[in-house]
Structures are given as C-alpha cells and as structure tokens.
Amino acid sequence: MRNNFKLPKRIFPLTLGVLFINLAAAQTVSLGLSSATGTPGSAVGLSLSLSATVTQPAALQWTVSYATKDFTALSFSLGTAASAAGKTISCNGGSGVATCVVYGINSNTIANGVVATLNFTLSGTTTDTSSVIQVSGGVGPSLGGSAIPTSVTGGTVTIQQSGPTLTGLSCTPDSVIPPAPSTCVATISSAVSGTSIALGANSSSVVIPSSVTVSSGTMATFQVATSSVTADTKVTITATLGTASANSAVWLVAPSPIGVTPDATVSQSSTGAVSSIASPAFSTTAANELLLAFVGAGPSTSAVTVNSVTGAGVPWVLVQRTNAQAGTAEVWRAFSPVVLSNVTVTANLSASVYSSITVMSFQGIDPSGSSGSGAIGATVSASAASGAPSATLTTTRDGSLVIGVGEDPTSGISRTTAPLQNLVYQDLTTSNNAYWVQTQINTTPSSGTAVSINDLEPTADAYNLTAVEILAPSYCQTALVPTTRSFAVTGGSTTVTVATGSGCSWTATTNAASWISFSGGSGSGNGTFSLIAAPNTTGLAQIGSVSAGGQSFKAMEGGSTQIFGDVAVGSQFYDYITLMYEDGITAGCSTSPLDYCPTTSVTRAEMAVFLVVGLDLATGTTLSYPSTAYFQDVPSSSNYFPFVQRIAQLGITAGCSTSPPDFCPTNTITQEEMAVFMIEAWMQANGLTSFTYTETPYFSDVPASSPYFKFIQKMMDLQFWTGCGSGQYCPTAAVTRADMAPMVMRAIMGAP
C-alpha cells in the first residue's frame, strides 16, 4: 500500500489535542464521506464534505480506515471549501489507516462544502462487491481554539465485478445406452463462488437441471439422465452464462434392433380326426427361449378345446382360447432355460377332430415370470359366423411382436394376409376347414399401438382367431433427478423429474412417511412429481429414501438440537455429524462432556472404524473378519483389529507397506488417501466393481498423472467432496473428524 501523505511537524499555534469545550450546544460540525462505484483495478474519488452550524471551524482533523484487500493505494487532495480558506492538507498513517489535518496559519474559517477528496485505487484481484470506508476521530476547533462538537460518517465503495465468462462444456461419456447417465462439466474463466450457469437440451429423451451453480473453483458438474430411444439420437446439451454459451453432444444409443426373433419353427397337421397331435422334433439355438404352441382344431358338433400341452421337458400354460365358432384356436406358452435338442410338443384335445399344431421358439424376449409369463403382453380373441378374419390388440411395450392362430370351420380356402404380415403355416388338408398361423413381419416400435392380425381373403367364412403380443425385455428403466435433496429444519418442497420409457408406469414411495409426502406421485413415461418435506419437529437431523420406477435417492432434513458440546447447531457439517451419531457410526471423542472433536485429524485406524460401521449399516450386514492378521502393526489385541481386517478383506486397502506388511494405523490420513477409501467404500455399498470418471482435471493441484487422480475426480463427480476452494483439492492436507462426517454419509449412506 502506498500512502502519499505526511503530517507536518507543526500544524498551527493551537494544537488540536488541547481543546476547550465551552461552546453552546447548538454549535455542530459534521464531516460526511460520499460513496462511489468502481471496478477492480480502477480509481475512485470520495468527497469529504463539511456541514457546520452557528460557528465554522478554522481547522479539521479526522482518521480514515479501509480494507487493504480491496484497495492498493490512497492519496488525498484539498477540497474547494478548504482551498478557498487558504488551508493545507497533510496526512500520515500506516496500512489501512490514515489521519489527516486541514489547517492554515491564518484567521480564515472553512465554509461548508468539500474539504478533501480521498482518491482510492481498487485492487485488481478483489472479489468483494462492496467495501466500507470508515471515518472516525473528527475534530473541528473554532478560530479561537474552542472545540466544536464534531460528528463523522463514512462511505461505501460499490465494486462492480465483471464476473467470470463461460469457457467450456464437456460431457463424459459422450455416448450412452439409456438409462445410463452422462456427467457434464461446465467451466468458467475465474473462480467466483455462486456463479449460476443456465442449462438446456434439445431433446425430451434427457433430463437435466435448469441451472448449475459453481460452489468452488472454476467448474460445476451435473448429471444428464437419459431415457430409451428407438434410434440412435444426438442430443445437444447447452450451457449459458450471460451472452456466452457452450455446447456438448451426447449420443443416446438405441438398444439392439434384433428384439423378438423367432428361432425354431415346426408345424404338423393331422390327416384325420385325432385326440392329440404332436409336433415334429425341433431344437433351439439358445437358452432362455419362449415356446409357443399354436393349435387349431375342429370343427366339431360339440365344443372342442385343448385339454393340455406337454413336451420339451417344460410345463405349459394356456395363454388364450377362441372357440365361439365350431372348433378352437388356442395359444399355449412355456419357457426353456436351457437349449433344447430334438424335442417334440403334443396337444391333447377334448374330442377327436382334425387338428394342426405349430410350435415356435423366440429369442430376445422378456425372461421374467414363470413359464414364459413375462414375455406375454396383450391377447385378443375374435370370431364371426361370416367375414374376413381380423383380431386387433393394443401393444403394451415397445418392440413387441404380434402373432395369431386361426381356424376356419367352413372351407379350406387359402389365406390372403393383409400387408406387412406373413403366413407362418396353413393347412388346407380338407375342403371343409383350414388352420393357419400368421405374424407381423416387423416388431412394433412403440407401445400403445393398435395392431391387427387380419386377412383380405376369404371374406365370407366363419372363423376363430386368437392373437398374442410377445414382449421384448423391459426398457422401463428409470432415472430420478430431484432439484434438491437437502431441506432446512423448516422443511420445504422440490420437483423430482422422472425419465423412463414410454408407457412405463411409476409410483413414488418413501420409507419416511412421517415427514416426506408427494404431490402427483405417480405417472407413466417421462414426468415430474413434487416432494414435500414437512417441518422437522423431532429436533434431530433426519434422512429418508424416495423411490420410483425401481430407482431411489435419499433426502435429508436439518435438525435443531445440539448433540455434541463442540458442534453447534447450524455449524458446518452439523447435520452430517448428528446423523453419524444417530446411526451409531460414531459416539464422539468424549462422553463427559459429550464432544465430537471436529477439528481433530483422523488416523488410518479410526477411518477403518468409520468405514466398516457405515458399510455394515448401509448393506445390512454384521461385522465379520478373518482371524489371521493381514498387517503386523495391527495385532489381534488391537481395538481396531476387526475393522482393519474387514477393509483389507474387502479389498478397500492393501496397507501402507507390503514389505513388511503394515497398515500404519496411527498415521494421519490425507485427503487424497481418503478419496481412495471413500470411492472403494462407495463401490462396496453399491455392488460395483469399477467406475468411470471425468477425465478433465477439476483441481489445479491434482494432475492427471497423480495415482489419486481418478478417485479425486470421482469424489467431485459425485459431490462427495468438492475440494478446499480456489480450484484446489489440497490432496496432502489432513482429514478432520468434521470432514469425515459428510464423506461417510454421502459416499456410504447416500446422503446429499
């Protein structure tokens, strides 16, 4: 700081330190400093003005104080009112403070007006938006040397920050198979905490937050939730800050187009009336195939049905029967978990009639349920005494295939199928009846589509027709994107966006109904619902799970009761520390008084306890461990032995040395080491064996060459820990007990 001023050795005959206070109460002198606006690195001038009543002062003295982090230089110049009185200004002081005197060896008093101008130079690196200039110690003697009561007021410099600019946006990976997410990173030119970046996307197949805020450093991350597509789709993600914008492409890759595909197909018709009919032998090429038997039989003077279907070493179940006209058209199902070789299938009839059987196996089907139930969607029966055969159903899942079986008790006329359909088999053995199986040529891309199995010819015969929808595996995989997962003790609400496949139903549920409720908590396909957190009346921080569509997340609500004497309500990480205590992960560092010791560094042995207790709680397991010691410096007699053994058994640690095998239990754990432990524990809690991470470095002090790089990147990706500020992670800094609380609750317990 440069101060361009000095005090004179002699000011005037009457020193300002010796004053005679005998003026009337009505006499006053006021010194007021104006305010100004500037930008970092610029110069601003503030006027100090005099306002006196009854008696004008012959001299003035004051002291000015200012923040050196906001200003790099200060100088003073004489104002017009003091100059007109023939006065001089002289100032002296140190960094951030200066005392000034306006004086003159003459008989002139100073008129009201500007007596001095304070010229400040703003620091080019200040991040403040305002800075207060304080004025104190005002003295205003009269010409006779008597003190006039003097008041002073300071001013404010408003600092207009130009703000950072958007410098980039990148999303990794840049191609995903929905509902797998992509993680995007928006970067700004300078570290300004609280910078909000607007976000957008050009496709409804992705869900992103409307904005993201830079909490520290120059980067902000957000997740792109994706929903299934029927064709490869390029989605453009856009970030906007001011007038600048940046784009990044994410490709959504459609599932394999193979879908429901026939494998084996065999057919057989009788040459006369029979009570059962067997298929030719067939083999399948894969395990987990759906088997369907399409049976047509009749006509008969009485109702005829298929009593049972047997064969292929699997149980068979009726799907649909149509027998309103003479005869019957039926579909039966089965499921083979193994590859079949040279097997046959037999349909057993309720009467001896002409009959036909077609057996087909299918790959690319939904393998859920029993006896192929998960692979069957909509079914329909249609019949008429006369007309062109037609049966229509509405599909229930994307990518399904519709097949039908028909029986004509009137005549043996060949079928002419409608467009985009094929005959799988037809039997025209006699002139009095016909049996046939026909299928769509292609699967139907979207659920909710009306699909018909129909013929153009004949148009005047009676018919029984049964159609069935064969389902591909479900693509109803859901992603949930809450606007926030954290609530104050007073409660609140947030919007949760649901990204899922078309026609996929979902309902929001919670295990914390005492304080979490929903509005609009069910739907189909993409949608939203409101999560409402009631005010917390328990006094303790609480956490609850919210689920929809097979996915879930945890929400947290703050508390108002102090548990530990050294962790005040509202202090940093208070809620996480409280939850650690409630969940039994920690009992603190002292019981009398009950303290947590938040600033105490964590040792490697203590870290093992935190991790194991948290993991057991998250996974519902109980503590177990090998009895043979992994490390020579953690013997079985150690209180930490069970916990160190457990994390070694899980592969979370290999110790600090292999020769000899040591764990270094008393060593303080660093932030970079903790990143490894946290990500390994997170994978254990979620049943993962590997992970991906953003490859663009978040932190200037953690280069990509660091062995800890991928773990620290993942900590930031998942917001488990966001570094120490100013774009740094401080990897070698010690982890405190306060730091441990949010890491454990976020990485292992799923807290926000």
Side-chain angles (χ1 to χ4, degrees):
M1 169 64 68
R2 184 179 74 252
N3 292 321
N4 301 322
F5 44 82
K6 62 180 180 178
L7 283 173
K9 293 181 179 179
R10 184 171 180 178
I11 301 175
F12 41 72
L14 291 174
T15 63
L16 299 181
V18 181
L19 300 173
F20 300 93
I21 305 174
N22 56 5
L23 297 179
Q27 293 179 317
T28 61
V29 169
S30 297
L31 290 174
L33 188 64
S34 66
S35 294
T37 299
T39 58
S42 68
V44 293
L46 283 73
S47 298
L48 185 68
S49 297
L50 166 67
S51 177
T53 60
V54 181
T55 303
Q56 296 299 125
L60 293 168
Q61 178 176 305
W62 69 88
T63 298
V64 61
S65 303
Y66 55 93
T68 56
K69 64 186 179 71
D70 294 325
F71 303 99
T72 59
L74 170 61
S75 62
F76 299 83
S77 58
L78 198 63
T80 54
S83 178
K87 305 300 182 182
T88 300
I89 188 170
S90 185
C91 304
N92 201 359
S95 178
V97 62
T99 298
C100 295
V101 173
V102 170
Y103 67 98
I105 305 177
N106 55 42
S107 59
N108 299 331
T109 58
I110 305 172
N112 290 346
V114 177
V115 295
T117 300
L118 284 63
N119 303 297
F120 288 95
T121 300
L122 281 158
S123 169
T125 60
T126 180
T127 58
D128 289 337
T129 56
S130 66
S131 190
V132 175
I133 310 298
Q134 296 180 333
V135 180
S136 61
V139 178
S142 68
L143 188 61
S146 299
I148 306 173
T150 303
S151 62
V152 291
T153 56
T156 300
V157 175
T158 299
I159 306 171
Q160 293 181 333
Q161 298 287 350
S162 59
T165 58
L166 186 69
T167 57
L169 176 69
S170 62
C171 298
T172 306
D174 58 8
S175 63
V176 298
I177 300 176
S182 179
T183 299
C184 298
V185 181
T187 56
I188 56 178
S189 58
S190 57
V192 178
S193 177
T195 300
S196 180
I197 302 170
L199 304 174
N202 67 343
S203 172
S204 60
S205 295
V206 301
V207 178
I208 60 175
S210 59
S211 64
V212 65
T213 300
V214 179
S215 58
S216 63
T218 59
M219 297 183 182
T221 64
F222 60 93
Q223 289 273 304
V224 179
T226 66
S227 55
S228 60
V229 292
T230 57
D232 291 354
T233 303
K234 180 183 179 181
V235 177
T236 300
I237 310 298
T238 302
T240 303
L241 180 59
T243 59
S245 63
N247 298 323
S248 184
V250 177
W251 279 93
L252 307 185
V253 181
S256 170
I258 295 175
V260 178
T261 306
D263 181 16
T265 301
V266 293
S267 299
Q268 181 67 54
S269 295
S270 70
T271 57
V274 295
S275 60
S276 66
I277 184 167
S279 74
F282 66 93
S283 301
T284 60
T285 60
N288 299 318
E289 291 195 10
L290 173 70
L291 305 179
L292 292 183
F294 300 93
V295 182
S300 172
T301 56
S302 60
V304 61
T305 61
V306 178
N307 285 339
S308 64
V309 174
T310 59
V314 292
W316 290 80
V317 178
L318 175 66
V319 175
Q320 187 71 42
R321 173 183 291 135
T322 305
N323 61 353
Q325 302 302 313
T328 189
E330 303 186 18
V331 181
W332 289 66
R333 61 176 165 82
F335 181 81
S336 178
V338 298
V339 176
L340 300 175
S341 177
N342 200 36
V343 297
T344 61
V345 174
T346 300
N348 302 297
L349 310 173
S350 64
S352 184
V353 292
Y354 281 88
S355 57
S356 171
I357 185 171
T358 295
V359 179
M360 302 179 69
S361 71
F362 299 87
Q363 298 176 1
I365 53 88
D366 188 335
S368 63
S370 60
S371 298
S373 61
I376 301 300
T379 62
V380 63
S381 291
S383 61
S386 177
S390 180
T392 301
L393 57 76
T394 301
T395 59
T396 61
R397 186 176 297 174
D398 296 353
S400 62
L401 181 69
V402 179
I403 300 183
V405 57
E407 181 256 346
D408 180 344
T410 307
S411 62
I413 300 176
S414 178
R415 309 291 106 177
T416 300
T417 65
L420 301 179
Q421 298 178 51
N422 276 342
L423 280 172
V424 177
Y425 175 76
Q426 71 174 343
D427 173 51
L428 308 174
T429 301
T430 72
S431 60
N432 297 325
N433 58 305
Y435 317 105
W436 76 97
V437 177
Q438 69 186 78
T439 179
Q440 289 179 286
I441 294 176
N442 300 311
T443 57
T444 301
S446 301
S447 65
T449 302
V451 176
S452 296
I453 294 295
N454 59 317
D455 296 330
L456 304 179
E457 295 287 346
T459 60
D461 287 4
Y463 67 88
N464 290 311
L465 181 59
T466 298
V468 60
E469 178 192 18
I470 304 171
L471 301 180
S474 173
Y475 293 106
C476 290
Q477 301 180 45
T478 302
L480 303 178
V481 184
T483 304
T484 183
R485 297 193 292 142
S486 299
F487 300 94
V489 67
T490 53
S493 64
T494 190
T495 298
V496 181
T497 301
V498 182
T500 189
S502 174
C504 299
S505 298
W506 50 266
T507 298
T509 60
T510 181
N511 66 348
S514 62
W515 64 279
I516 293 177
S517 60
F518 307 108
S519 175
S522 62
S524 178
N526 292 340
T528 62
F529 65 90
S530 294
L531 185 161
I532 303 162
N536 188 349
T537 58
T538 69
L540 299 175
Q542 51 192 2
I543 192 167
S545 181
V546 175
S547 301
Q551 297 297 312
S552 64
F553 63 86
K554 291 186 177 178
M556 186 172 76
E557 187 172 48
S560 58
T561 299
Q562 185 166 352
I563 301 295
F564 296 105
D566 54 356
V567 181
V569 174
S571 60
Q572 188 181 33
F573 305 139
Y574 157 78
D575 289 326
Y576 297 101
I577 293 170
T578 300
L579 287 169
M580 291 261 287
Y581 178 80
E582 293 177 57
D583 289 339
I585 298 174
T586 183
C589 63
S590 167
T591 56
S592 183
L594 184 59
D595 283 339
Y596 183 74
C597 303
T599 60
T600 301
S601 298
V602 178
T603 67
R604 289 170 59 88
E606 292 167 337
M607 174 276 307
V609 179
F610 281 118
L611 258 62
V612 171
V613 176
L615 276 173
D616 284 349
L617 183 63
T619 58
T621 56
T622 56
L623 178 61
S624 62
Y625 52 91
S627 58
T628 302
Y630 284 105
F631 308 107
Q632 68 172 11
D633 57 353
V634 186
S636 59
S637 59
S638 169
N639 292 333
Y640 297 104
F641 179 75
F643 305 99
V644 173
Q645 289 289 101
R646 181 63 172 155
I647 63 172
Q649 180 188 35
L650 293 173
I652 295 176
T653 184
C656 63
S657 168
T658 56
S659 182
D662 283 339
F663 181 71
C664 305
T666 60
N667 283 10
T668 296
I669 194 165
T670 65
Q671 290 285 355
E672 61 188 5
E673 293 170 336
M674 183 56 72
V676 179
F677 285 117
M678 284 293 106
I679 297 303
E680 292 286 353
W682 166 74
M683 289 196 294
Q684 287 287 337
N686 291 277
L688 304 175
T689 58
S690 62
F691 65 91
T692 59
Y693 57 92
T694 300
E695 295 183 359
T696 302
Y698 287 118
F699 305 103
S700 59
D701 55 353
V702 185
S705 58
S706 168
Y708 301 99
F709 177 74
K710 66 179 182 179
F711 299 98
I712 290 173
Q713 291 289 105
K714 194 63 177 179
M715 289 284 280
M716 183 66 174
D717 283 343
L718 298 173
Q719 297 290 288
F720 293 162
W721 194 251
T722 56
C724 57
S726 301
Q728 294 190 320
Y729 196 78
C730 302
T732 59
V735 175
T736 66
R737 289 173 59 87
D739 297 340
M740 275 293 299
M743 290 185 191
V744 169
M745 293 306 300
R746 290 167 180 167
I748 301 176
M749 304 304 295

